[in-house]
């Protein structure tokens, strides 16, 4: 905000060269030749897939049905989606590199193209994206609990729906970017990257380039947003590092433009749900059967695999509702589109839309209200801990409280009265109210790892807290920040715990050489896990600080308190010592150390919450719809979530507001559309619409606070806001017009068509 940020794009090094990628204009084809002669004769350094053919990314999973496939650094035998990189050109600047890329001639032999993951495969014989998966299914799993068929047969009402959610992506303010530098004298590779997971990037780059991991340094400077899109190791990242090795002591840089981002960064949310739900006459949900297909694109991305969306969909489809009988078959299907990967909320904006649609459909069929059917089925505090059908354990149960508070905040009864008045008098546009209840699984520990049985288990994080000889505090954390204020929160935790000023704490993260090993930023985990590690470490340092101060003051530890940078004897205002003086003794005056206390004043601790913490949430909104133009206008929007203990209200509010805005964008505006030939037809911001501040309504954001069972009592809030808007807006339009909304996004054209 003040212009002091330093992003990868700001990095300028001596002798730096820039890279432009030659990208396939076709979605599926054999590469018959790559002619680089003209580019080389013009003085460009050119790399093709043949140069890096021995290196490929392979996302691994131990799931029995998973089909492992390779993702080349540069395509060299065939291309699998339009935009895939087939060559790289190096020049003094990006403009010249783009000119050189135009001189590279690539010949393609077209192959059959598949774009829709649930299309009949017999319509396109020979359209296998990978030879290892002739039917294009890279993963399939069935979640099964209870007796679904028996429960459906006994139900008073059975409702069925087919729902489709739209493909879109993260679009962070800063697109992907990287700078790689190889220094052969030290056998050292430095890679500056706008990544959310610097240590995971270092791990795989070291493996692919056959380097000791200690010889690879990954630095994530300021990151202009990530949203999961930057939690992936991309072929372009590896290509930069390989190019750097081929050009010793020359930094090579690539900054993605927006067209490249829309076409080649990971996409998400391209799902179809075939649903069948059985209800008792009083609205009790008896059974849910689902068949879920997720379009995972051309490749299984590293490290999260093609399973990240389908498995999340199956694991959390039933959301915050009690359910004994559940069967969901989920699959990830490869197509000739950009790869799918993690994106804020991972699958759950789609699953919440699916589940809330079924609740509304059940209520409509039974003739009861949507509020009543939700309240009857929500997990409540007396059910906690609640074992979900997918075996996840919900530790929240405060969904009804969130729902009722959101209804009060939005003025639900008043809105219903206004809706009735408009219907009776015909005065005013149709008004509809939409509701979404959801559970956000945050701070995933090793028992509920963020990845689908990958070779590593996400869960723990580490933190080092060091009180320096001058009394200042340096904190080293294993997580990284993507612009959400993580440094602020960790500094608060440590400052509060040590009793020093916030400005006396410096937090270092995002550099694999100077920060601790950690998994990074994803899955709403930083406050829960990194905060927990910071808290636990601070407790240890505080204990040593007080023990040392007690010896210096000749007082009992239990009689001491620390605040404002001073350690005081309770009840004796004249007996105190500054934290800086205690620290000086710890490092510089060991002769004054009390017996049994070692020099130094620092500690390192790890924290793993094991299961994580569920955060309850509810959103309620009212919209009015113009039948003539298909436009909708949000009148009111309320969101109530349970963040547990709120560490920084401003950051919590900002995270929720930002995620709701992102959810509204996905529900109404954003849509990555491919034609039958696999061409992206919404490939610029002229075609791919994104909301601005003008399109986002004033938001009423409130909280309930029920501390979680972790050191700080916190629950994550990074993704919850994205989970509601699909369901809220679809439900509101359905309520306003009396129609069924089966397909997203809710464009004016689709609303106009539904209202005819």
């Amino acid at each position: 905000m003040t212009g002091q940020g330093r992003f990868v794009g700001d990095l300028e090094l001596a002798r730096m060269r820039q890279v432009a990628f030659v990208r396939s204009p076709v979605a599926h084809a054999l590469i018959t030749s790559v002619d680089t002669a003209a580019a080389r004769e013009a003085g460009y350094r050119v790399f093709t897939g043949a140069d890096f053919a021995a290196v490929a990314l392979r996302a691994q999973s131990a799931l029995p049905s998973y089909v492992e496939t390779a993702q080349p650094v540069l395509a060299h035998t065939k291309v699998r989606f339009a935009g895939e990189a087939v060559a790289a050109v190096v020049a003094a600047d990006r403009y010249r590199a783009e000119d050189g890329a135009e001189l590279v001639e690539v010949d393609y032999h077209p192959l059959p193209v598949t774009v829709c993951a649930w299309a009949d495969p017999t319509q396109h014989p020979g359209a296998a994206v990978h030879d290892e998966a002739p039917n294009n299914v890279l993963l399939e799993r069935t979640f099964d609990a209870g007796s679904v068929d028996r429960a459906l047969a006994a139900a008073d009402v059975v409702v069925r729906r087919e729902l489709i959610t739209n493909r879109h992506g993260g679009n962070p303010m800063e697109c992907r970017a990287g700078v790689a530098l190889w220094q052969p004298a030290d056998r050292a590779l430095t890679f500056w990257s706008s990544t959310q997971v610097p240590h995971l990037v270092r791990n795989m780059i070291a493996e692919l380039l056959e380097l000791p991991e200690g010889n690879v340094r990954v630095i994530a400077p300021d990151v202009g947003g990530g949203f999961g899109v930057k939690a992936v190791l991309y072929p372009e990242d590896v290509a930069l590092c390989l190019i750097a090795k081929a050009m010793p002591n020359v930094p090579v840089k690539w900054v993605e433009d927006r067209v490249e981002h829309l076409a080649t960064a990971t996409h998400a949310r391209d799902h179809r749900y075939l649903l069948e739900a059985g209800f008792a006459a009083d609205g009790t949900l008896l059974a849910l059967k689902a068949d879920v297909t997720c379009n995972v694109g051309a490749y299984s991305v590293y490290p999260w695999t093609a399973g990240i969306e389908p498995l999340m969909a199956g694991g959390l489809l039933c959301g915050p509702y009690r359910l004994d009988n559940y069967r969901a078959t989920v699959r990830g299907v490869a197509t000739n589109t950009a790869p799918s990967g993690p994106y804020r909320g991972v699958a759950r904006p789609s699953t919440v839309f699916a589940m809330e649609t079924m609740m509304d459909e059940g209520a409509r069929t039974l003739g009861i209200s949507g509020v009543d059917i939700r309240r009857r089925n929500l997990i409540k505090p007396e059910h906690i801990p609640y074992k979900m059908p997918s075996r996840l354990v919900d530790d929240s149960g405060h969904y009804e409280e969130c729902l009722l508070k959101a209804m009060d905040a939005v003025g639900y009864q008043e809105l219903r009265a206004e809706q009735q008045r408009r219907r009776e008098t015909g005065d005013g546009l149709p008004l509809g109210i939409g509701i979404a209840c959801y559970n956000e699984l945050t701070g995933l520990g090793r028992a509920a790892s963020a990845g689908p049985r990958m070779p590593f288990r996400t869960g723990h994080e580490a933190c080092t807290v060091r009180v320096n000889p001058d009394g200042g505090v340096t904190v080293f954390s294993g997580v990284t920040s993507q612009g959400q204020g993580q440094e602020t929160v960790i500094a608060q935790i440590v400052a509060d715990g040590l009793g020093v000023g916030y400005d006396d704490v410096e937090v270092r993260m995002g550099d694999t050489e100077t920060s601790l090993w950690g998994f990074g930023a994803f899955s709403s985990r930083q406050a829960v896990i990194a905060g927990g590690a910071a808290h636990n470490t601070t407790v240890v340092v505080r204990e040593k600080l007080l023990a040392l101060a007690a010896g210096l003051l000749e007082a009992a530890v239990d009689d001491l308190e620390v605040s404002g940078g001073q350690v005081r004897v309770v009840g004796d205002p004249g007996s105190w010592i500054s934290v800086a003086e205690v620290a000086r003794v710890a490092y510089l005056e060991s002769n004054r150390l009390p017996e049994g206390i070692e020099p130094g004043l620092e500690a390192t601790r790890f924290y793993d919450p094991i299961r994580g913490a569920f955060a309850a949430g509810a959103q309620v909104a009212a919209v009015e719809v113009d039948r003539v133009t298909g436009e909708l206008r949000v009148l009111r929007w309320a969101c109530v979530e349970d963040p547990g203990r709120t560490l920084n209200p401003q950051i919590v509010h900002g995270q929720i507001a930002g995620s709701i805005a992102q959810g509204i964008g996905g529900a109404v505006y954003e849509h990555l559309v491919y034609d039958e030939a696999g061409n992206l037809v919404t490939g610029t911001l002229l075609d791919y619409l994104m909301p601005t501040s003008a399109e986002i309504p004033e938001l009423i954001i409130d909280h309930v606070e029920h501390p979680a069972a972790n050191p700080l009592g916190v629950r994550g809030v990074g993704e919850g806001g994205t989970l509601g808007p699909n369901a809220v807006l679809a439900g509101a339009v359905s309520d306003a017009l009396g129609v069924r909304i089966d397909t997203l996004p809710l464009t004016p054209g689709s609303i106009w068509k539904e209202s005819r």
Side-chain angles (χ1 to χ4, degrees):
M1 293 294 290
T2 62
Q4 302 304 306
R6 184 170 174 81
F7 301 86
V8 174
D10 296 319
L11 190 64
E12 294 293 338
L13 301 175
R15 305 178 65 201
M16 180 175 280
R17 296 293 182 266
Q18 300 242 5
V19 175
F21 289 99
V22 179
R23 298 189 179 277
S24 171
V26 296
H28 198 200
L30 297 175
I31 299 174
T32 56
S33 70
V34 181
D35 186 352
T36 63
R40 295 182 195 276
E41 289 171 6
Y44 293 100
R45 188 73 184 266
V46 184
F47 297 86
T48 69
D51 295 313
F52 305 144
V55 181
L57 287 161
R58 303 187 73 94
Q60 297 178 318
S61 170
L63 284 169
S65 68
Y66 179 66
V67 178
E68 185 179 315
T69 57
Q71 184 175 17
V73 175
L74 296 172
H76 50 89
T77 57
K78 77 171 183 174
V79 293
R80 294 178 172 87
F81 70 98
E84 184 171 7
V86 297
V89 177
V90 185
D93 57 52
R94 178 62 179 261
Y95 300 100
R96 291 183 176 88
E98 294 281 2
D99 291 341
E102 291 183 2
L103 297 175
V104 177
E105 297 287 341
V106 185
D107 290 331
Y108 302 94
H109 175 72
L111 295 172
V113 172
T114 181
V115 172
C116 180
W118 43 90
D120 183 354
T122 63
Q123 293 179 356
H124 301 282
V129 179
H130 297 275
D131 293 341
E132 299 93 329
N135 62 353
N136 285 332
V137 177
L138 298 186
L139 173 137
E140 185 170 271
R141 179 182 173 183
T142 297
F143 295 80
D144 204 347
S147 302
V148 174
D149 294 333
R150 187 183 309 160
L152 286 173
D156 292 289
V157 165
V158 176
V159 296
R160 298 174 179 84
R161 293 290 289 272
E162 177 182 358
L163 304 172
I164 295 173
T165 57
N166 49 310
R167 185 183 192 90
H168 51 286
N171 275 289
M173 179 175 66
E174 177 198 28
C175 294
R176 295 178 292 158
V179 175
L181 173 62
W182 168 248
Q183 296 167 295
D186 301 319
R187 283 188 55 78
L189 176 72
T190 304
F191 182 43
W192 292 264
S193 173
S194 62
T195 180
Q196 300 171 224
V197 288
H199 285 91
L200 293 179
V201 167
R202 182 185 72 167
N203 176 269
M204 182 47 59
I205 286 177
E207 181 176 321
L208 292 174
L209 274 61
E210 299 181 339
L211 294 170
E213 196 163 336
N215 288 26
V216 178
R217 180 182 184 183
V218 177
I219 303 170
D222 290 323
V223 177
F227 310 124
V229 172
K230 295 181 184 176
V232 171
L233 178 60
Y234 288 90
E236 291 92 341
D237 299 326
V238 182
L240 282 177
C241 296
L242 290 168
I243 292 169
K245 278 203 73 178
M247 300 177 64
N249 298 311
V250 175
V252 291
K253 180 178 185 177
W254 170 66
V255 177
E256 179 184 54
D257 62 36
R258 190 62 61 177
V259 172
E260 285 181 296
H261 180 84
L262 288 167
T264 66
T266 52
H267 297 171
R269 317 258 209 265
D270 193 353
H271 302 179
R272 182 190 67 169
Y273 294 79
L274 300 177
L275 301 165
E276 190 172 351
F279 293 88
D282 64 357
T284 300
L285 178 63
L286 301 177
L288 178 66
K289 183 163 68 173
D291 183 276
V292 182
T293 301
C294 299
N295 184 346
V296 300
Y299 291 104
S300 188
V301 297
Y302 183 87
W304 310 107
T305 82
I308 186 168
E309 284 204 302
L311 294 175
M312 187 70 79
L316 285 164
L317 175 59
C318 54
Y321 298 108
R322 302 190 309 278
L323 182 62
D324 294 327
N325 305 295
Y326 176 64
R327 184 188 308 137
T329 297
V330 299
R331 66 188 62 83
V333 178
T335 65
N336 298 118
T337 61
S340 174
Y343 173 38
R344 196 175 195 174
V346 182
R348 288 160 291 171
S350 300
T351 62
V352 172
F353 165 59
M355 196 65 199
E356 296 300 278
T357 297
M358 296 307 283
M359 299 306 287
D360 284 335
E361 186 74 5
R364 183 185 298 112
T365 305
L366 289 166
I368 60 179
S369 77
V371 172
D372 288 343
I373 201 169
R374 287 171 172 83
R375 294 183 67 182
R376 177 167 294 280
N377 291 287
L378 284 169
I379 301 166
K380 295 182 172 64
E382 59 265 29
H383 304 129
I384 298 303
Y386 180 78
K387 189 173 183 179
M388 300 168 65
S390 58
R391 295 191 292 279
L392 292 170
V393 178
D394 192 317
D395 67 329
S396 175
H398 299 286
Y399 304 102
E400 185 177 40
E401 183 181 1
C402 289
L403 173 59
L404 295 177
K405 194 168 185 178
M407 290 170 60
D408 286 342
V410 85
Y412 182 81
Q413 296 301 331
E414 174 192 343
L415 288 168
R416 282 296 182 202
E418 173 62 13
Q419 180 187 56
Q420 186 62 28
R421 185 195 68 78
R422 293 189 187 191
R423 288 176 176 175
E424 290 174 353
T425 64
D427 179 23
L429 295 174
L431 185 151
I433 302 171
I435 297 172
C437 298
Y438 50 88
N439 54 354
E440 181 191 1
L441 180 52
T442 74
L444 294 166
R446 64 177 179 265
S449 179
R453 294 182 66 179
M454 301 181 304
F456 58 88
R457 299 285 288 184
T458 64
H460 64 267
E461 285 296 343
C463 184
T464 293
V465 175
R466 177 184 300 157
V467 182
N468 300 310
D470 64 355
V473 182
T474 305
V475 181
F476 303 90
S477 178
V479 294
T480 189
S481 178
Q482 50 189 310
Q484 75 275 52
Q486 188 60 35
E487 301 95 327
T488 299
V489 172
I490 289 180
Q492 283 183 254
I493 293 167
V494 174
D496 288 350
L498 287 179
V500 300
Y502 168 82
D503 291 333
D504 294 327
V505 180
E506 179 188 0
V507 178
R508 297 181 184 177
M509 57 177 64
D511 184 336
T512 60
E513 189 167 291
T514 61
S515 61
L516 294 182
W517 198 99
F519 286 107
F522 52 87
S523 296
S524 300
R525 67 195 301 273
Q526 285 91 310
V528 177
I529 304 180
H535 170 81
N536 289 351
T537 308
T538 302
V539 168
V540 175
V541 175
R542 179 189 175 97
E543 288 174 352
K544 183 173 182 180
L545 172 70
L546 291 176
L548 177 49
L552 296 173
L553 292 171
E554 298 182 349
V557 170
D558 292 343
D559 292 336
L560 300 182
E561 64 178 9
V562 56
S563 65
Q566 295 180 340
V567 183
R568 304 181 187 86
V569 177
V570 177
D572 184 358
S575 184
W576 63 274
I577 188 171
S578 70
V579 170
E581 179 66 15
V582 176
R584 177 180 174 81
V585 170
Y587 290 97
L588 299 174
E589 300 182 54
S590 57
N591 57 301
R592 295 178 60 189
L593 288 174
E595 186 176 350
I597 295 181
E598 295 181 347
L601 194 51
E602 70 173 76
T604 299
R605 290 294 183 272
F606 288 80
Y607 175 64
D608 185 337
I610 310 300
R611 290 193 177 278
F614 273 95
Q619 295 176 35
V620 182
V623 307
E624 57 182 19
V625 184
D626 190 328
R627 291 181 182 270
V628 177
T629 65
E631 293 179 296
L632 62 84
R633 184 168 74 93
V634 177
L635 302 178
R636 299 180 195 172
W637 194 298
C639 173
V640 176
E641 291 194 3
D642 178 10
R645 181 186 175 201
T646 302
L647 301 181
N648 186 308
Q650 188 173 5
I651 288 179
V652 168
H653 184 100
Q655 284 288 289
I656 294 173
S659 57
I660 292 173
Q662 213 155 8
I664 291 173
V668 181
Y669 301 103
E670 302 179 49
H671 195 188
L672 291 159
V673 180
Y674 286 89
D675 65 18
E676 292 183 356
N679 300 306
L680 181 63
V681 298
T682 54
T684 73
L685 294 184
L686 293 174
D687 314 294
Y688 182 91
L689 303 180
M690 294 189 66
T692 70
S693 57
E695 282 75 49
I696 302 303
E698 290 295 323
L699 301 171
I700 304 167
I701 296 174
D702 206 345
H703 315 290
V704 301
E705 294 194 34
H706 298 282
N710 56 56
L712 293 168
V714 297
R715 306 177 189 273
V717 296
E719 299 170 272
T722 63
L723 309 189
N726 277 353
V728 166
L729 290 170
V733 172
S734 178
D735 184 48
L737 302 180
V739 298
R740 287 176 170 81
I741 302 297
D742 297 321
T743 303
L744 297 177
L746 288 161
T747 64
S750 67
I751 293 174
W752 180 86
K753 185 177 179 181
E754 289 291 343
S755 65
R756 295 302 91 195

